[in-house]
Amino acid sequence: MDAKQILAICDSQGLWAGLIHTSCTKSPKPDFSFPVRSLLLVSLNPSPPRPSPDPYQLLLYVRYIFQGKRYPMGDIEVNRKSLAKAQVIATIFEAHPFPSEELKAGQRGAEEAYPVVKSLARHDIRSFLSVLEIAFETDDWVQFQGSKQERAARRALARGQTASAKPAPKPTQSPADGFGGKDYVATCQEIL
């Protein structure tokens, strides 16, 4: 059985810890943002046969990633820590993290802007901000590279489509610059 089949079984049966573990360790290309998107989609639109994930499980997963740990146990390889952190932060703060092919008809909440931030903040703002603090307190600050157009081109290439996007110069950023060159508090206020 390959990783894709295991992920499908975990998703259909509501085995969220298995889904997280498989997507981050057993896949040929670990995707640390997949559990965030998957668990959020299910929690926004629960279906009766499978249990809805606990939002605290998602917060715990994100906390572990920011601390350089694997969920539910172990450490992320040193060469993948910054990738994991970058993928999760980008997904949390992405305006529309769900490609249209992932959305089913009538899925409420997933179409709104910044659904991950809004969902986690609405559930427990104090815990969510505590987890974010971990991400931004370390010296290994994640640098967001490229423009929105460049990221869209990379996604299209990953799906096998051709895209013509000229790479933008890569900005440098430090924790003092805030998120995306803006003041962090102002960005959070815009999102919420």
Side-chain angles (χ1 to χ4, degrees), residues 65-104:
I65 292 294
F66 292 165
Q67 292 173 335
K69 299 178 184 176
R70 286 201 179 278
Y71 180 88
M73 63 184 172
D75 289 330
I76 299 173
E77 296 83 14
V78 174
N79 61 339
R80 290 193 176 166
K81 284 184 182 183
S82 61
L83 170 70
K85 191 173 180 179
Q87 284 181 352
V88 171
I89 288 175
T91 302
I92 288 173
F93 288 103
E94 193 167 355
H96 300 285
F98 307 108
S100 56
E101 60 269 8
E102 281 185 23
L103 297 175
K104 296 179 181 122

mmCIF file of all heavy atoms in Angstrom, residues 65-104:
data_model
loop_
_atom_site.group_PDB
_atom_site.id
_atom_site.type_symbol
_atom_site.label_atom_id
_atom_site.label_comp_id
_atom_site.label_asym_id
_atom_site.label_seq_id
_atom_site.Cartn_x
_atom_site.Cartn_y
_atom_site.Cartn_z
ATOM 1 N N ILE A 65 5.576 21.385 14.824
ATOM 2 C CA ILE A 65 6.347 21.780 13.637
ATOM 3 C C ILE A 65 7.218 22.984 13.965
ATOM 4 O O ILE A 65 8.399 23.018 13.638
ATOM 5 C CB ILE A 65 5.416 22.092 12.444
ATOM 6 C CG1 ILE A 65 4.723 20.827 11.961
ATOM 7 C CG2 ILE A 65 6.177 22.767 11.305
ATOM 8 C CD1 ILE A 65 5.609 19.774 11.356
ATOM 9 N N PHE A 66 6.653 23.984 14.632
ATOM 10 C CA PHE A 66 7.412 25.188 14.971
ATOM 11 C C PHE A 66 8.548 24.897 15.942
ATOM 12 O O PHE A 66 9.535 25.611 15.978
ATOM 13 C CB PHE A 66 6.492 26.265 15.541
ATOM 14 C CG PHE A 66 5.528 26.845 14.535
ATOM 15 C CD1 PHE A 66 4.447 27.579 14.958
ATOM 16 C CD2 PHE A 66 5.703 26.656 13.166
ATOM 17 C CE1 PHE A 66 3.550 28.131 14.047
ATOM 18 C CE2 PHE A 66 4.814 27.192 12.247
ATOM 19 C CZ PHE A 66 3.742 27.925 12.694
ATOM 20 N N GLN A 67 8.400 23.831 16.735
ATOM 21 C CA GLN A 67 9.454 23.432 17.663
ATOM 22 C C GLN A 67 10.459 22.466 17.031
ATOM 23 O O GLN A 67 11.402 22.054 17.689
ATOM 24 C CB GLN A 67 8.844 22.784 18.911
ATOM 25 C CG GLN A 67 8.059 23.750 19.765
ATOM 26 C CD GLN A 67 7.317 23.048 20.900
ATOM 27 O OE1 GLN A 67 6.985 21.869 20.833
ATOM 28 N NE2 GLN A 67 7.034 23.812 21.947
ATOM 29 N N GLY A 68 10.227 22.101 15.770
ATOM 30 C CA GLY A 68 11.132 21.179 15.083
ATOM 31 C C GLY A 68 10.891 19.722 15.426
ATOM 32 O O GLY A 68 11.759 18.881 15.224
ATOM 33 N N LYS A 69 9.696 19.416 15.915
ATOM 34 C CA LYS A 69 9.356 18.046 16.295
ATOM 35 C C LYS A 69 8.375 17.448 15.298
ATOM 36 O O LYS A 69 7.637 18.161 14.635
ATOM 37 C CB LYS A 69 8.714 18.020 17.681
ATOM 38 C CG LYS A 69 9.590 18.525 18.787
ATOM 39 C CD LYS A 69 8.820 18.503 20.095
ATOM 40 C CE LYS A 69 9.617 19.091 21.233
ATOM 41 N NZ LYS A 69 8.826 19.139 22.471
ATOM 42 N N ARG A 70 8.378 16.132 15.241
ATOM 43 C CA ARG A 70 7.377 15.395 14.457
ATOM 44 C C ARG A 70 6.158 15.137 15.334
ATOM 45 O O ARG A 70 6.294 14.961 16.534
ATOM 46 C CB ARG A 70 7.923 14.054 13.997
ATOM 47 C CG ARG A 70 8.894 14.162 12.896
ATOM 48 C CD ARG A 70 9.003 12.834 12.161
ATOM 49 N NE ARG A 70 9.944 12.978 11.087
ATOM 50 C CZ ARG A 70 9.666 13.492 9.906
ATOM 51 N NH1 ARG A 70 8.447 13.891 9.642
ATOM 52 N NH2 ARG A 70 10.576 13.596 8.980
ATOM 53 N N TYR A 71 5.013 15.086 14.711
ATOM 54 C CA TYR A 71 3.794 14.737 15.439
ATOM 55 C C TYR A 71 3.517 13.278 15.138
ATOM 56 O O TYR A 71 3.553 12.894 13.981
ATOM 57 C CB TYR A 71 2.631 15.614 14.958
ATOM 58 C CG TYR A 71 1.336 15.327 15.650
ATOM 59 C CD1 TYR A 71 1.004 15.979 16.828
ATOM 60 C CD2 TYR A 71 0.447 14.396 15.149
ATOM 61 C CE1 TYR A 71 -0.186 15.715 17.475
ATOM 62 C CE2 TYR A 71 -0.740 14.121 15.792
ATOM 63 C CZ TYR A 71 -1.047 14.785 16.949
ATOM 64 O OH TYR A 71 -2.225 14.521 17.593
ATOM 65 N N PRO A 72 3.302 12.417 16.055
ATOM 66 C CA PRO A 72 3.133 12.586 17.486
ATOM 67 C C PRO A 72 4.425 12.445 18.288
ATOM 68 O O PRO A 72 4.434 12.727 19.476
ATOM 69 C CB PRO A 72 2.157 11.471 17.854
ATOM 70 C CG PRO A 72 2.423 10.388 16.878
ATOM 71 C CD PRO A 72 2.887 11.082 15.624
ATOM 72 N N MET A 73 5.539 11.996 17.653
ATOM 73 C CA MET A 73 6.783 11.878 18.409
ATOM 74 C C MET A 73 7.980 11.945 17.477
ATOM 75 O O MET A 73 7.863 11.731 16.276
ATOM 76 C CB MET A 73 6.818 10.577 19.208
ATOM 77 C CG MET A 73 6.784 9.336 18.357
ATOM 78 S SD MET A 73 6.699 7.914 19.406
ATOM 79 C CE MET A 73 6.443 6.647 18.196
ATOM 80 N N GLY A 74 9.120 12.255 18.037
ATOM 81 C CA GLY A 74 10.346 12.318 17.264
ATOM 82 C C GLY A 74 10.680 13.740 16.851
ATOM 83 O O GLY A 74 9.961 14.688 17.173
ATOM 84 N N ASP A 75 11.796 13.868 16.151
ATOM 85 C CA ASP A 75 12.245 15.173 15.665
ATOM 86 C C ASP A 75 12.265 15.183 14.142
ATOM 87 O O ASP A 75 12.504 14.148 13.507
ATOM 88 C CB ASP A 75 13.662 15.490 16.175
ATOM 89 C CG ASP A 75 13.688 15.787 17.662
ATOM 90 O OD1 ASP A 75 12.675 16.292 18.176
ATOM 91 O OD2 ASP A 75 14.715 15.510 18.298
ATOM 92 N N ILE A 76 12.030 16.345 13.580
ATOM 93 C CA ILE A 76 12.145 16.520 12.129
ATOM 94 C C ILE A 76 13.628 16.565 11.788
ATOM 95 O O ILE A 76 14.424 17.134 12.531
ATOM 96 C CB ILE A 76 11.452 17.828 11.686
ATOM 97 C CG1 ILE A 76 9.966 17.778 12.030
ATOM 98 C CG2 ILE A 76 11.643 18.073 10.196
ATOM 99 C CD1 ILE A 76 9.228 19.080 11.789
ATOM 100 N N GLU A 77 13.995 15.969 10.659
ATOM 101 C CA GLU A 77 15.387 15.996 10.223
ATOM 102 C C GLU A 77 15.841 17.447 10.111
ATOM 103 O O GLU A 77 15.087 18.320 9.694
ATOM 104 C CB GLU A 77 15.554 15.298 8.864
ATOM 105 C CG GLU A 77 15.227 13.823 8.870
ATOM 106 C CD GLU A 77 13.739 13.548 8.716
ATOM 107 O OE1 GLU A 77 12.982 14.457 8.343
ATOM 108 O OE2 GLU A 77 13.331 12.409 9.005
ATOM 109 N N VAL A 78 17.097 17.691 10.444
ATOM 110 C CA VAL A 78 17.644 19.051 10.466
ATOM 111 C C VAL A 78 17.459 19.744 9.113
ATOM 112 O O VAL A 78 17.080 20.915 9.052
ATOM 113 C CB VAL A 78 19.138 19.018 10.868
ATOM 114 C CG1 VAL A 78 19.767 20.390 10.755
ATOM 115 C CG2 VAL A 78 19.296 18.471 12.264
ATOM 116 N N ASN A 79 17.680 19.025 8.018
ATOM 117 C CA ASN A 79 17.579 19.640 6.694
ATOM 118 C C ASN A 79 16.136 19.905 6.269
ATOM 119 O O ASN A 79 15.910 20.546 5.239
ATOM 120 C CB ASN A 79 18.293 18.785 5.649
ATOM 121 C CG ASN A 79 17.691 17.389 5.508
ATOM 122 O OD1 ASN A 79 17.017 16.899 6.408
ATOM 123 N ND2 ASN A 79 17.944 16.760 4.388
ATOM 124 N N ARG A 80 15.147 19.439 7.039
ATOM 125 C CA ARG A 80 13.741 19.668 6.681
ATOM 126 C C ARG A 80 13.014 20.597 7.649
ATOM 127 O O ARG A 80 11.857 20.928 7.425
ATOM 128 C CB ARG A 80 13.000 18.338 6.620
ATOM 129 C CG ARG A 80 13.424 17.497 5.457
ATOM 130 C CD ARG A 80 12.486 16.371 5.248
ATOM 131 N NE ARG A 80 12.871 15.637 4.047
ATOM 132 C CZ ARG A 80 12.421 14.472 3.727
ATOM 133 N NH1 ARG A 80 11.553 13.879 4.505
ATOM 134 N NH2 ARG A 80 12.819 13.882 2.624
ATOM 135 N N LYS A 81 13.668 21.004 8.727
ATOM 136 C CA LYS A 81 12.994 21.845 9.727
ATOM 137 C C LYS A 81 12.513 23.160 9.145
ATOM 138 O O LYS A 81 11.375 23.560 9.371
ATOM 139 C CB LYS A 81 13.914 22.103 10.921
ATOM 140 C CG LYS A 81 14.027 20.928 11.848
ATOM 141 C CD LYS A 81 14.871 21.256 13.050
ATOM 142 C CE LYS A 81 15.004 20.018 13.927
ATOM 143 N NZ LYS A 81 15.742 20.275 15.144
ATOM 144 N N SER A 82 13.366 23.849 8.405
ATOM 145 C CA SER A 82 12.949 25.147 7.860
ATOM 146 C C SER A 82 11.880 24.968 6.787
ATOM 147 O O SER A 82 10.980 25.792 6.668
ATOM 148 C CB SER A 82 14.142 25.930 7.327
ATOM 149 O OG SER A 82 14.767 25.239 6.286
ATOM 150 N N LEU A 83 11.953 23.884 6.006
ATOM 151 C CA LEU A 83 10.920 23.602 5.003
ATOM 152 C C LEU A 83 9.574 23.382 5.696
ATOM 153 O O LEU A 83 8.555 23.946 5.281
ATOM 154 C CB LEU A 83 11.292 22.368 4.174
ATOM 155 C CG LEU A 83 10.188 21.824 3.266
ATOM 156 C CD1 LEU A 83 9.928 22.785 2.113
ATOM 157 C CD2 LEU A 83 10.540 20.448 2.757
ATOM 158 N N ALA A 84 9.574 22.572 6.742
ATOM 159 C CA ALA A 84 8.333 22.287 7.471
ATOM 160 C C ALA A 84 7.723 23.562 8.028
ATOM 161 O O ALA A 84 6.530 23.833 7.863
ATOM 162 C CB ALA A 84 8.610 21.295 8.590
ATOM 163 N N LYS A 85 8.545 24.356 8.666
ATOM 164 C CA LYS A 85 8.078 25.603 9.272
ATOM 165 C C LYS A 85 7.543 26.560 8.200
ATOM 166 O O LYS A 85 6.466 27.148 8.361
ATOM 167 C CB LYS A 85 9.226 26.243 10.042
ATOM 168 C CG LYS A 85 8.841 27.383 10.918
ATOM 169 C CD LYS A 85 10.048 27.803 11.753
ATOM 170 C CE LYS A 85 9.742 28.941 12.658
ATOM 171 N NZ LYS A 85 10.886 29.330 13.478
ATOM 172 N N ALA A 86 8.262 26.684 7.111
ATOM 173 C CA ALA A 86 7.836 27.581 6.028
ATOM 174 C C ALA A 86 6.515 27.127 5.415
ATOM 175 O O ALA A 86 5.632 27.954 5.147
ATOM 176 C CB ALA A 86 8.920 27.663 4.958
ATOM 177 N N GLN A 87 6.368 25.827 5.175
ATOM 178 C CA GLN A 87 5.122 25.322 4.580
ATOM 179 C C GLN A 87 3.927 25.589 5.496
ATOM 180 O O GLN A 87 2.868 26.021 5.036
ATOM 181 C CB GLN A 87 5.235 23.819 4.302
ATOM 182 C CG GLN A 87 6.065 23.470 3.104
ATOM 183 C CD GLN A 87 6.124 21.967 2.869
ATOM 184 O OE1 GLN A 87 5.672 21.160 3.671
ATOM 185 N NE2 GLN A 87 6.703 21.596 1.733
ATOM 186 N N VAL A 88 4.104 25.344 6.780
ATOM 187 C CA VAL A 88 2.986 25.527 7.711
ATOM 188 C C VAL A 88 2.646 27.011 7.886
ATOM 189 O O VAL A 88 1.477 27.393 7.845
ATOM 190 C CB VAL A 88 3.280 24.843 9.065
ATOM 191 C CG1 VAL A 88 2.233 25.201 10.107
ATOM 192 C CG2 VAL A 88 3.343 23.336 8.880
ATOM 193 N N ILE A 89 3.643 27.861 8.034
ATOM 194 C CA ILE A 89 3.380 29.300 8.174
ATOM 195 C C ILE A 89 2.709 29.846 6.915
ATOM 196 O O ILE A 89 1.742 30.608 6.998
ATOM 197 C CB ILE A 89 4.674 30.077 8.486
ATOM 198 C CG1 ILE A 89 5.125 29.787 9.908
ATOM 199 C CG2 ILE A 89 4.475 31.579 8.303
ATOM 200 C CD1 ILE A 89 6.450 30.397 10.279
ATOM 201 N N ALA A 90 3.204 29.435 5.755
ATOM 202 C CA ALA A 90 2.605 29.912 4.499
ATOM 203 C C ALA A 90 1.153 29.473 4.386
ATOM 204 O O ALA A 90 0.297 30.249 3.939
ATOM 205 C CB ALA A 90 3.419 29.400 3.311
ATOM 206 N N THR A 91 0.845 28.257 4.804
ATOM 207 C CA THR A 91 -0.535 27.775 4.738
ATOM 208 C C THR A 91 -1.425 28.514 5.727
ATOM 209 O O THR A 91 -2.556 28.871 5.391
ATOM 210 C CB THR A 91 -0.587 26.259 5.019
ATOM 211 O OG1 THR A 91 0.234 25.599 4.064
ATOM 212 C CG2 THR A 91 -1.998 25.726 4.920
ATOM 213 N N ILE A 92 -0.925 28.761 6.932
ATOM 214 C CA ILE A 92 -1.730 29.469 7.934
ATOM 215 C C ILE A 92 -2.090 30.869 7.455
ATOM 216 O O ILE A 92 -3.226 31.314 7.601
ATOM 217 C CB ILE A 92 -0.976 29.531 9.281
ATOM 218 C CG1 ILE A 92 -0.953 28.153 9.922
ATOM 219 C CG2 ILE A 92 -1.622 30.547 10.227
ATOM 220 C CD1 ILE A 92 -0.092 28.064 11.159
ATOM 221 N N PHE A 93 -1.131 31.570 6.844
ATOM 222 C CA PHE A 93 -1.363 32.956 6.447
ATOM 223 C C PHE A 93 -1.727 33.121 4.979
ATOM 224 O O PHE A 93 -1.765 34.246 4.479
ATOM 225 C CB PHE A 93 -0.136 33.805 6.780
ATOM 226 C CG PHE A 93 0.020 34.036 8.253
ATOM 227 C CD1 PHE A 93 0.958 33.333 8.985
ATOM 228 C CD2 PHE A 93 -0.797 34.934 8.913
ATOM 229 C CE1 PHE A 93 1.092 33.537 10.341
ATOM 230 C CE2 PHE A 93 -0.676 35.140 10.273
ATOM 231 C CZ PHE A 93 0.270 34.436 10.991
ATOM 232 N N GLU A 94 -2.014 32.032 4.290
ATOM 233 C CA GLU A 94 -2.398 32.138 2.880
ATOM 234 C C GLU A 94 -3.865 32.547 2.794
ATOM 235 O O GLU A 94 -4.719 32.013 3.509
ATOM 236 C CB GLU A 94 -2.169 30.807 2.168
ATOM 237 C CG GLU A 94 -2.240 30.920 0.672
ATOM 238 C CD GLU A 94 -1.707 29.685 -0.024
ATOM 239 O OE1 GLU A 94 -1.202 28.778 0.633
ATOM 240 O OE2 GLU A 94 -1.814 29.655 -1.259
ATOM 241 N N ALA A 95 -4.150 33.486 1.903
ATOM 242 C CA ALA A 95 -5.522 33.994 1.773
ATOM 243 C C ALA A 95 -6.481 32.899 1.314
ATOM 244 O O ALA A 95 -7.602 32.794 1.814
ATOM 245 C CB ALA A 95 -5.563 35.172 0.806
ATOM 246 N N HIS A 96 -6.067 32.076 0.362
ATOM 247 C CA HIS A 96 -6.915 31.004 -0.166
ATOM 248 C C HIS A 96 -6.073 29.739 -0.297
ATOM 249 O O HIS A 96 -5.578 29.435 -1.377
ATOM 250 C CB HIS A 96 -7.521 31.410 -1.507
ATOM 251 C CG HIS A 96 -8.374 32.628 -1.422
ATOM 252 N ND1 HIS A 96 -9.642 32.611 -0.880
ATOM 253 C CD2 HIS A 96 -8.138 33.918 -1.750
ATOM 254 C CE1 HIS A 96 -10.147 33.832 -0.901
ATOM 255 N NE2 HIS A 96 -9.251 34.648 -1.421
ATOM 256 N N PRO A 97 -5.905 28.986 0.801
ATOM 257 C CA PRO A 97 -5.020 27.822 0.780
ATOM 258 C C PRO A 97 -5.594 26.583 0.094
ATOM 259 O O PRO A 97 -4.886 25.612 -0.104
ATOM 260 C CB PRO A 97 -4.785 27.540 2.266
ATOM 261 C CG PRO A 97 -6.008 28.027 2.929
ATOM 262 C CD PRO A 97 -6.447 29.214 2.129
ATOM 263 N N PHE A 98 -6.866 26.622 -0.252
ATOM 264 C CA PHE A 98 -7.492 25.452 -0.843
ATOM 265 C C PHE A 98 -7.666 25.636 -2.338
ATOM 266 O O PHE A 98 -8.443 26.485 -2.765
ATOM 267 C CB PHE A 98 -8.861 25.193 -0.205
ATOM 268 C CG PHE A 98 -8.803 25.106 1.286
ATOM 269 C CD1 PHE A 98 -9.325 26.122 2.071
ATOM 270 C CD2 PHE A 98 -8.207 24.029 1.909
ATOM 271 C CE1 PHE A 98 -9.266 26.054 3.448
ATOM 272 C CE2 PHE A 98 -8.138 23.953 3.289
ATOM 273 C CZ PHE A 98 -8.668 24.971 4.057
ATOM 274 N N PRO A 99 -6.976 24.828 -3.166
ATOM 275 C CA PRO A 99 -7.213 24.891 -4.602
ATOM 276 C C PRO A 99 -8.674 24.529 -4.879
ATOM 277 O O PRO A 99 -9.278 23.747 -4.146
ATOM 278 C CB PRO A 99 -6.271 23.834 -5.180
ATOM 279 C CG PRO A 99 -5.254 23.597 -4.123
ATOM 280 C CD PRO A 99 -5.932 23.883 -2.820
ATOM 281 N N SER A 100 -9.233 25.107 -5.928
ATOM 282 C CA SER A 100 -10.660 24.909 -6.207
ATOM 283 C C SER A 100 -11.009 23.436 -6.397
ATOM 284 O O SER A 100 -12.120 23.021 -6.089
ATOM 285 C CB SER A 100 -11.077 25.719 -7.434
ATOM 286 O OG SER A 100 -10.276 25.368 -8.540
ATOM 287 N N GLU A 101 -10.059 22.612 -6.870
ATOM 288 C CA GLU A 101 -10.365 21.190 -7.065
ATOM 289 C C GLU A 101 -10.480 20.440 -5.733
ATOM 290 O O GLU A 101 -11.047 19.362 -5.682
ATOM 291 C CB GLU A 101 -9.338 20.500 -7.977
ATOM 292 C CG GLU A 101 -7.906 20.533 -7.491
ATOM 293 C CD GLU A 101 -7.109 21.729 -7.987
ATOM 294 O OE1 GLU A 101 -7.678 22.639 -8.599
ATOM 295 O OE2 GLU A 101 -5.899 21.740 -7.749
ATOM 296 N N GLU A 102 -9.955 21.000 -4.641
ATOM 297 C CA GLU A 102 -10.082 20.374 -3.319
ATOM 298 C C GLU A 102 -11.426 20.688 -2.675
ATOM 299 O O GLU A 102 -11.854 19.980 -1.776
ATOM 300 C CB GLU A 102 -8.969 20.861 -2.375
ATOM 301 C CG GLU A 102 -7.645 20.208 -2.592
ATOM 302 C CD GLU A 102 -6.620 20.644 -1.554
ATOM 303 O OE1 GLU A 102 -7.001 21.084 -0.444
ATOM 304 O OE2 GLU A 102 -5.426 20.547 -1.863
ATOM 305 N N LEU A 103 -12.083 21.756 -3.121
ATOM 306 C CA LEU A 103 -13.349 22.165 -2.514
ATOM 307 C C LEU A 103 -14.503 21.409 -3.144
ATOM 308 O O LEU A 103 -14.567 21.256 -4.357
ATOM 309 C CB LEU A 103 -13.566 23.666 -2.689
ATOM 310 C CG LEU A 103 -12.541 24.569 -2.012
ATOM 311 C CD1 LEU A 103 -12.804 26.012 -2.370
ATOM 312 C CD2 LEU A 103 -12.573 24.379 -0.515
ATOM 313 N N LYS A 104 -15.399 20.945 -2.313
ATOM 314 C CA LYS A 104 -16.599 20.276 -2.794
ATOM 315 C C LYS A 104 -17.712 21.306 -2.835
ATOM 316 O O LYS A 104 -17.655 22.323 -2.163
ATOM 317 C CB LYS A 104 -16.964 19.129 -1.852
ATOM 318 C CG LYS A 104 -15.919 18.045 -1.824
ATOM 319 C CD LYS A 104 -16.295 16.950 -0.862
ATOM 320 C CE LYS A 104 -15.201 15.913 -0.876
ATOM 321 N NZ LYS A 104 -14.595 15.670 0.394
#
